[in-house]
Amino acid sequence: MTKPLLDVEDLRVRFHLRTGTVEAVRGVSFQLGRERLGIVGESGSGKSQTGRAILGLTPPPGEVTAKRLAFDGIDLLTASNRTLRTLRGGRISMVMQDPKYSLNPVMTIGEQIIEAYQAHAKAGRNEARDKALAMLEAVKMRDPGRVFALYPHEVSGGMGQRAMIAMMLVTDPDLLIADEPTSALDVTVSMEVLRILDELVTERGMGLIFISHDLKLVSSFCDRVLVMYAGRVVEELEAKNLREAQHPYTQGLMRCLPTLVDDVRPLPTLNRDPAWAL
Amino acid sequence: MVSAVMNGGGGHGSALRSFLKKVAQFVIVLATTLLGLVAVTFFIGRVVPIDPVIAVVGDRAPAHVYERVRTELGLDRPLIEQFVIYVKKAATGDFGNSVLTTNPVMTDIINVFPATLELATLGTLIGVLIGIPLGVLAAVKRGTLIDQFVRVLGLVGYSVPIFWLGLMGLLLFYAKLGWVAGPGRIDVTYSYLYTPVTGIVLLDTAMQGQWDAFWDAVSHVILPACLLGYFSLAYISRMTRSFMLNELAQEYVIAARVKGLSEMRVIWRHALRNAAVPLVTVIALSYANLLEGSVLTETVFAWPGLGQYITNSLQNADMNAVLGGTLVIGTVFVLLNLVSDLLYRLLDPRTR
Amino acid sequence: MAGAPLAEQPAGLRAWLLSPEPHSRWQARLGRFYLGWRAFSRNPLAVVGLGIVILLILLAIFADVIAPYSPVAGGDLRTQRLLPPSETFWFGTDDQARDIFSRVVYGSRITLFVVVLVALIATPIGLLVGTVSGYLGGWVDTVLMRITDIFLAFPRLVLALAFVAALGPGIENAIIAIAITSWPPYARIARAETLMIRNSDFIAAVKLQGASTPRIIMGHVVPLCISSLIVRVTLDMAGIILTAAGLGFLGLGAQPPMPEWGAMVATGRNYLIDQWWVAAMPGLAIFVVSLGFNLLGDGLRDVLDPKAAK
């Protein structure tokens, strides 16, 4: 019986603003092994903040509390900054939404990957360079040597996202958080990126938290799904059992998805029950 | 040859063409701006209510002398022709002779300019070395005491009259505390110990090993340089803070933290690296501002630079000198703006 | 997110101002002004700035009443020259036995005069050039912007110096010189704003209704540029005061015996070491007034253009 990779119990993220306190995450609990967990929700549901809280990167007016927040047995709430920094990038990584903004515009792609590697491995420049090139190959870049020397604005969205994946996986982390990794990409490009992500996660036996607003996508990619609404988890189930969803919000979401088979007119919309937000 | 370039399809041909086009545009803008500067000074020169002929010959000159000088000065030609002649002369650096010193204005300017450069350079150096770290600190520790302090520093820098602050500085550090030397560039007793080569006293005395003179020069330059330095750092720290706040809010900074980099590295290698692009422009502009600030500073400190030259000439109604000096400063301003533009393009890989 | 929630139902005037359904244009306007004032007054420094500016205006209007002595007529040249600050002479006396405090108070009139006139001259010019240039585009835009850039290429003090050198010293010439060097940034701002709204739907709608170009520019474009221009002009006033004082310091502004603050500092320079107050006091006045305008301008900017704040 191995201990879970990630153990989250009653996670709360509060923002103390001048106009009052906003609770973005209100008591989220789950456990994660080396499996794929999807977190689905709309904007403002708290899914991104959950991911940031795990990494300890909640932006400043925010406060994170939990009954338990542990990674591989290490208590993330009481860990020192140094420990957290070793974990970040080294054992827990995050792929962000838009490579146009999440890659440093004045550093070449290769430099950024090398930087990520050298932050966690005592390696010389040549070894780091080789690792970076190998990683670029692993994400199926057609000409790794050329891309290595390019700046982020010189590559397309799909290439940029693959570069981001390369940068975040070069250190061989145990857990990857993917925060809307394909939301900024075209459909065909995002299929490609997902395929690569799929391969790498399976190959390396990593845990994955896939955060998205796309229920269909998450259900096809992940083993388990958490549905979040207004900061709470309203439903947790196996991806293959989505049709048996109990909570009216999830049922509503499933009903809104157009299908090729049925012809439901008008297309149903979601009727929000204020009770869900309590 | 042009058609060959135009027909040489795709890649290289069109890249070269667009580059040449950019260069051409750039040159045209520069030329028209400089031409405009010359036009403004020409216009100012013509607005003078004093008769320039009388300024040369005096008001008791006989008619034929007056006419002769008038023809010499080209004032009998139509205005357009006068303007063209003026432009041609300006292009070669001929601004006429100074009524006061009877030297060609350009010679005078070349003599006094290094002194102003010295002040502006030292001031900008202080501004950069102190201003940038302060600005970064204020941005990183936003809302804390140090942030407030930097903002107050900036606010005072924008509000205090430079000539008054200079005088108060002299009062405190020279008269009351005796820490620095008074007005002037170097004590008279030392000025014979070295030969002016570069026009910059600090360099000349150091190169010639005249250390007593060197330290005296330092003691003279430190107060005006710090004065200009303060204005520079008020501006630079405020802009640095603003740019850094902008960068620290970006996604790539979060990504850098995700990678587990130390906060120092995130601030300096990521945020500041990006903020440096507009910051370099700010530094060039600050240098230009200091050239303007030195006009009043030099008056307060009796510093023999271009600023003092212009104000002295002004008080002696020496229009050639005033206009020549104004044109030189204006040109340097334009060139500095240009340099800052170029630096921006060089540093930001997105604009290359 | 809405602002601070109102705890109880406000009564009377306040209720009328904050009413979500105003009955007249005036009610809406005053209501907006009231909200803007509330946001402004939450910033203590901005209120201080406003206070300083109001103080300046009051000093200028009531100088006759506030100043204890005449600003131009000196006292006894044998016994009252260069006296230090005391009960009788709050800021001391200068080399002509004149009370410095009274001179500073009367000098506020000159400062206000310069600032107001420069603003009144430069702002319309800048507004006109900017909006016309931005709206018409094409070669009009290119020519006007080249001219603007040329004026921007000169450092303000130096250009003002050159103009005053040509026109001769004196306060009117100083004002003209400063105004000539002040309008270019306003033109740039007005043009930037105009470019943003030029292609909006409401401009298209007005055009479709048959409005002529001058009417569009004057009636629709200009009012929208005004708020950012007001911020800029207020922030600029500090710079205008400093430039005017600089010119005065060089003897190019108001001529003696007028109590212009910059010129007073210049006089004080000769007595700096032993009678520091002659230079210190008028300079302090320049500093405080300049600071006031800067604080006011910052506060206005935070209210009128919150995106630019911080």
Side-chain angles (χ1 to χ4, degrees):
Chain A
M1 175 65 179
T2 47
K3 56 178 183 284
L5 196 55
L6 187 64
D7 189 357
V8 180
E9 196 183 331
D10 197 32
L11 177 67
R12 288 173 190 272
V13 179
R14 288 186 202 89
F15 288 93
H16 301 287
L17 304 172
R18 227 173 354 135
T19 43
T21 301
V22 176
E23 255 199 305
V25 179
R26 302 187 294 153
V28 167
S29 306
F30 62 90
Q31 288 190 345
L32 181 74
R34 285 184 189 270
E35 53 177 321
R36 302 183 193 186
L37 178 72
I39 303 184
V40 180
E42 51 193 48
S43 309
S45 57
K47 55 191 199 300
S48 281
Q49 287 302 332
T50 306
R52 305 269 158 117
I54 295 171
L55 278 163
L57 288 178
T58 311
E63 176 200 354
V64 176
T65 50
K67 287 217 186 81
R68 186 152 170 77
L69 183 63
F71 174 77
D72 199 17
I74 306 168
D75 187 352
L76 296 177
L77 290 170
T78 56
S80 67
N81 265 330
R82 164 161 278 179
T83 315
L84 286 177
R85 265 191 283 123
T86 322
L87 289 177
R88 266 184 234 139
R91 299 192 64 195
I92 317 177
S93 240
M94 178 161 76
V95 170
M96 295 160 72
Q97 183 171 332
D98 197 341
K100 223 177 21 222
Y101 300 115
S102 52
L103 290 172
N104 187 338
V106 299
M107 282 171 80
T108 59
I109 291 179
E111 261 173 63
Q112 299 189 47
I113 305 180
I114 287 181
E115 187 184 36
Y117 187 67
Q118 286 184 317
H120 297 277
K122 291 251 171 280
R125 188 161 170 93
N126 286 327
E127 183 189 333
R129 196 194 141 90
D130 293 334
K131 261 290 189 163
L133 286 167
M135 205 60 220
L136 284 173
E137 262 191 65
V139 296
K140 311 272 193 298
M141 289 289 196
R142 235 172 327 152
D143 191 348
R146 192 182 71 98
V147 173
F148 187 90
L150 288 178
Y151 286 95
H153 70 280
E154 294 176 306
V155 301
S156 68
M159 285 169 81
Q161 197 62 311
R162 282 183 279 159
M164 176 110 214
I165 294 174
M167 182 168 81
M168 290 306 180
L169 293 185
V170 72
T171 50
D172 227 347
D174 299 308
L175 171 64
L176 180 68
I177 303 175
D179 192 351
E180 308 258 20
T182 52
S183 304
L185 305 173
D186 303 330
V187 176
T188 43
V189 175
S190 79
M191 295 268 86
E192 215 182 306
V193 170
L194 284 173
R195 233 195 323 264
I196 292 168
L197 202 56
D198 188 9
E199 253 181 61
L200 288 171
V201 170
T202 318
E203 247 172 52
R204 296 165 183 230
M206 294 164 51
L208 174 71
I209 299 180
F210 194 108
I211 303 175
S212 176
H213 56 267
D214 191 340
L215 185 55
K216 252 265 139 90
L217 178 61
V218 166
S219 62
S220 63
F221 203 75
C222 303
D223 307 316
R224 271 193 301 146
V225 176
L226 287 178
V227 180
M228 282 186 73
Y229 183 78
R232 285 201 203 287
V233 176
V234 297
E235 186 119 40
E236 176 176 349
L237 32 67
E238 305 273 316
K240 55 187 192 275
N241 295 336
L242 256 181
R243 293 196 179 276
E244 283 122 54
Q246 300 292 328
H247 197 277
Y249 176 65
T250 323
Q251 291 171 341
L253 283 181
M254 294 294 293
R255 254 200 306 268
C256 296
L257 296 171
T259 57
L260 286 175
V261 185
D262 311 319
D263 189 10
V264 187
R265 287 168 202 255
L267 198 62
T269 50
L270 199 59
N271 287 322
R272 290 168 199 278
D273 186 345
W276 300 340
L278 291 171
Chain B
M1 192 188 107
V2 173
S3 63
V5 170
M6 281 171 71
N7 291 332
H12 275 309
S14 61
L16 182 65
R17 241 179 65 211
S18 78
F19 177 70
L20 284 178
K21 198 166 159 217
K22 275 196 198 140
V23 170
Q25 272 174 345
F26 175 82
V27 169
I28 290 178
V29 167
L30 180 61
T32 45
T33 310
L34 290 178
L35 191 65
L37 289 193
V38 175
V40 170
T41 46
F42 176 75
F43 171 72
I44 295 176
R46 289 292 168 269
V47 165
V48 177
I50 318 167
D51 186 341
V53 184
I54 292 185
V56 174
V57 301
D59 47 359
R60 298 228 199 142
H64 66 276
V65 175
Y66 183 92
E67 279 311 314
R68 196 189 54 170
V69 173
R70 188 154 182 270
T71 325
E72 259 175 35
L73 289 177
L75 290 170
D76 54 337
R77 315 269 190 82
L79 209 61
I80 296 290
E81 221 184 301
Q82 287 187 42
F83 181 60
V84 171
I85 298 176
Y86 188 77
V87 171
K88 278 204 208 136
K89 284 191 173 171
T92 53
D94 178 6
F95 298 125
N97 291 352
S98 159
V99 171
L100 199 59
T101 66
T102 67
N103 294 333
V105 167
M106 201 54 185
T107 317
D108 282 345
I109 292 181
I110 294 180
N111 279 338
V112 294
F113 202 42
T116 305
L117 278 184
E118 187 179 4
L119 277 188
T121 310
L122 285 174
T124 308
L125 218 63
I126 295 176
V128 167
L129 291 175
I130 302 183
I132 294 186
L134 270 185
V136 171
L137 205 58
V140 168
K141 302 241 180 269
R142 182 185 179 166
T144 59
L145 216 60
I146 185 118
D147 184 14
Q148 308 282 32
F149 171 69
V150 169
R151 289 167 74 186
V152 166
L153 214 63
L155 197 59
V156 167
Y158 282 179
S159 315
V160 74
I162 189 170
F163 55 89
W164 180 76
L165 196 62
L167 283 174
M168 295 296 112
L170 266 178
L171 181 64
L172 183 62
F173 294 107
Y174 165 59
K176 299 292 178 209
L177 292 175
W179 286 358
V180 299
R185 218 173 163 191
I186 191 169
D187 223 46
V188 164
T189 46
Y190 292 108
S191 59
Y192 297 104
L193 290 180
Y194 73 99
T195 8
V197 169
T198 58
I200 298 182
V201 181
L202 290 176
L203 284 180
D204 289 335
T205 48
M207 289 193 311
Q208 293 164 22
Q210 294 289 350
W211 294 108
D212 284 340
F214 176 76
W215 287 114
D216 185 66
V218 166
S219 150
H220 275 96
V221 84
I222 193 165
L223 197 54
C226 284
L227 184 70
L228 286 177
Y230 172 67
F231 283 89
S232 179
L233 80 83
Y235 177 52
I236 291 181
S237 70
R238 187 180 181 145
M239 300 312 284
T240 305
R241 175 183 178 276
S242 172
F243 295 146
M244 280 299 285
L245 283 178
N246 203 23
E247 296 304 319
L248 287 173
Q250 300 293 324
E251 290 280 294
Y252 71 84
V253 167
I254 300 179
R257 293 199 181 113
V258 167
K259 293 202 301 201
L261 302 176
S262 70
E263 195 62 17
M264 282 295 279
R265 203 180 163 100
V266 171
I267 294 173
W268 295 95
R269 278 291 233 103
H270 286 256
L272 190 58
R273 259 301 269 296
N274 275 275
V277 178
L279 203 55
V280 162
T281 311
V282 162
I283 295 176
L285 288 178
S286 174
Y287 195 89
N289 283 338
L290 289 192
L291 285 179
E292 181 185 6
S294 74
V295 170
L296 290 167
T297 308
E298 288 175 18
T299 310
V300 170
F301 289 90
W303 193 265
L306 187 53
Q308 215 199 28
Y309 180 71
I310 292 182
T311 44
N312 273 346
S313 313
L314 216 148
Q315 271 144 9
N316 288 292
D318 188 351
M319 279 316 286
N320 282 339
V322 171
L323 292 181
T326 306
L327 200 53
V328 166
I329 291 192
T331 310
V332 172
F333 232 56
V334 168
L335 290 176
L336 276 172
N337 272 302
L338 230 72
V339 164
S340 85
D341 224 12
L342 279 171
L343 282 174
Y344 189 97
R345 281 173 204 281
L346 268 167
L347 285 174
D348 189 349
R350 287 168 287 195
T351 52
R352 283 191 215 149
Chain C
M1 203 178 277
L6 300 165
E8 75 300 318
Q9 281 305 320
L13 183 64
R14 231 173 129 227
W16 183 76
L17 285 170
L18 294 172
S19 155
E21 266 158 47
H23 296 295
S24 71
R25 231 161 134 205
W26 271 112
Q27 187 182 1
R29 277 204 181 133
L30 285 173
R32 268 213 317 269
F33 181 77
Y34 177 63
L35 279 174
W37 165 251
R38 287 235 315 228
F40 179 82
S41 52
R42 245 176 266 160
N43 181 354
L45 285 179
V47 177
V48 167
L50 182 63
I52 294 177
V53 172
I54 292 180
L55 185 65
L56 177 72
I57 298 175
L58 289 176
L59 275 183
I61 297 177
F62 296 112
D64 298 317
V65 176
I66 299 177
Y69 300 90
S70 157
V72 288
D76 188 343
L77 283 172
R78 280 173 302 153
T79 56
Q80 291 181 322
R81 283 179 81 240
L82 299 170
L83 293 178
S86 61
E87 289 259 325
T88 33
F89 302 109
W90 292 353
F91 285 178
T93 58
D94 66 2
D95 60 321
Q96 308 241 349
R98 294 175 291 203
D99 176 35
I100 294 180
F101 177 70
S102 304
R103 298 201 86 213
V104 167
V105 167
Y106 272 95
S108 67
R109 286 189 174 168
I110 301 178
T111 306
L112 206 57
F113 185 59
V114 170
V115 157
V116 166
L117 274 186
V118 169
L120 284 179
I121 297 176
T123 314
I125 297 178
L127 198 55
L128 202 63
V129 170
T131 48
V132 166
S133 174
Y135 188 78
L136 292 179
W139 62 267
V140 171
D141 184 22
T142 318
V143 166
L144 284 178
M145 277 304 111
R146 292 273 74 239
I147 297 179
T148 312
D149 282 343
I150 288 168
F151 275 92
L152 274 175
F154 279 106
R156 194 198 232 155
L157 180 67
V158 173
L159 193 59
L161 266 181
F163 268 107
V164 172
L167 299 167
I171 191 166
E172 306 88 6
N173 295 337
I175 291 176
I176 293 175
I178 300 176
I180 291 177
T181 56
S182 295
W183 67 263
Y186 306 158
R188 292 229 120 196
I189 292 178
R191 177 178 178 268
E193 296 271 326
T194 309
L195 286 179
M196 280 203 296
I197 43 185
R198 180 168 66 158
N199 295 321
S200 326
D201 284 342
F202 68 88
I203 297 283
V206 162
K207 252 197 273 193
L208 283 171
Q209 289 180 326
S212 64
T213 305
R215 193 192 168 85
I216 295 179
I217 294 181
M218 289 310 296
H220 296 269
V221 176
V222 163
L224 287 171
C225 300
I226 292 225
S227 77
S228 40
L229 216 59
I230 289 182
V231 171
R232 180 59 199 251
V233 171
T234 313
L235 283 173
D236 227 16
M237 283 186 174
I240 293 174
I241 292 175
L242 291 176
T243 310
L247 286 177
F249 180 71
L250 294 172
L252 300 171
Q255 294 299 292
M258 287 177 82
E260 199 264 320
W261 293 342
M264 289 168 72
V265 175
T267 330
R269 190 177 161 210
N270 300 327
Y271 307 98
L272 183 64
I273 304 198
D274 293 313
Q275 288 91 18
W276 52 270
W277 54 89
V278 186
M281 299 311 186
L284 203 60
I286 303 172
F287 176 37
V288 168
V289 170
S290 201
L291 190 67
F293 276 107
N294 267 331
L295 290 174
L296 180 62
D298 274 347
L300 279 178
R301 185 186 51 202
D302 289 350
V303 168
L304 291 173
D305 184 16
K307 283 172 284 159
K310 299 285 175 277

